[in-house]
Amino acid sequence: LSAQMGMKGLFFARMHYQDYDKRKKNKDMEFRWLSVESDTSLFTHVMWDMYWAPSGFCFDTACSDPAMVTNKNSPEFNVYKRVQDMVDYLANQASHYRSGNIMLTMGGDFCYQNARKYFKNLDILMEYIN
């Protein structure tokens, strides 16, 4: 029905854990959902970790993950390690998809209560990755 109405893609986060594990193993996290009653199909993408931020990268007030520290004189300087952790996370995620595209979700229920803090850290992360 969705494809018949013109939708081109569907992204969803919740599925049975056995189906999720099998799709991950077989690189079937993206697939064409074929209609039984018509000749339509819908590109479907299963989100990697629901819609949560990667472990260690929640920068909201309610989270306890460390901030991105760029000051090399600070004893808490961590930007290079944190960037490498994110790159490793993304490489692992990408290894379970057949296409060259992945979706990195950085949210969750009630996230961005302190949006300024969250976006400041995301900006640093993107700056150093790029």
Side-chain angles (χ1 to χ4, degrees):
L1 183 59
S2 297
Q4 291 173 346
M5 294 184 333
M7 284 182 63
K8 302 293 183 200
L10 174 68
F11 295 80
F12 69 95
R14 297 181 191 273
M15 72 173 7
H16 192 276
Y17 74 94
Q18 289 175 328
D19 190 17
Y20 178 84
D21 290 344
K22 180 181 176 186
R23 288 185 181 284
K24 221 166 105 172
K25 178 182 175 189
N26 296 331
K27 291 189 173 186
D28 288 332
M29 299 289 278
E30 298 167 315
F31 55 94
R32 284 249 167 236
W33 198 334
L34 304 174
S35 171
V36 175
E37 298 181 8
S38 72
D39 62 349
T40 59
S41 66
L42 187 63
F43 173 78
T44 306
H45 174 102
V46 179
M47 293 181 171
W48 179 251
D49 192 16
M50 301 222 353
Y51 46 85
W52 307 108
S55 179
F57 289 91
C58 178
F59 302 115
D60 206 13
T61 304
C63 301
S64 60
D65 298 337
M68 304 290 293
V69 181
T70 60
N71 181 348
K72 291 182 180 181
N73 296 322
S74 171
E76 296 176 1
F77 175 75
N78 64 1
V79 71
Y80 296 138
K81 180 182 182 333
R82 306 276 286 140
V83 164
Q84 189 59 55
D85 289 346
M86 177 59 82
V87 169
D88 293 346
Y89 174 89
L90 294 171
N92 178 51
Q93 179 180 347
S95 73
H96 295 279
Y97 290 85
R98 291 184 186 177
S99 75
N101 302 299
I102 58 172
M103 180 186 294
L104 174 62
T105 56
M106 295 296 296
D109 296 341
F110 309 107
C111 279
Y112 296 89
Q113 293 181 52
N114 186 343
R116 182 177 180 171
K117 175 183 172 187
Y118 214 120
F119 282 114
K120 178 182 176 187
N121 282 279
L122 289 177
D123 286 345
I124 293 168
L125 184 61
M126 287 185 284
E127 176 185 345
Y128 278 82
I129 285 179
N130 290 328

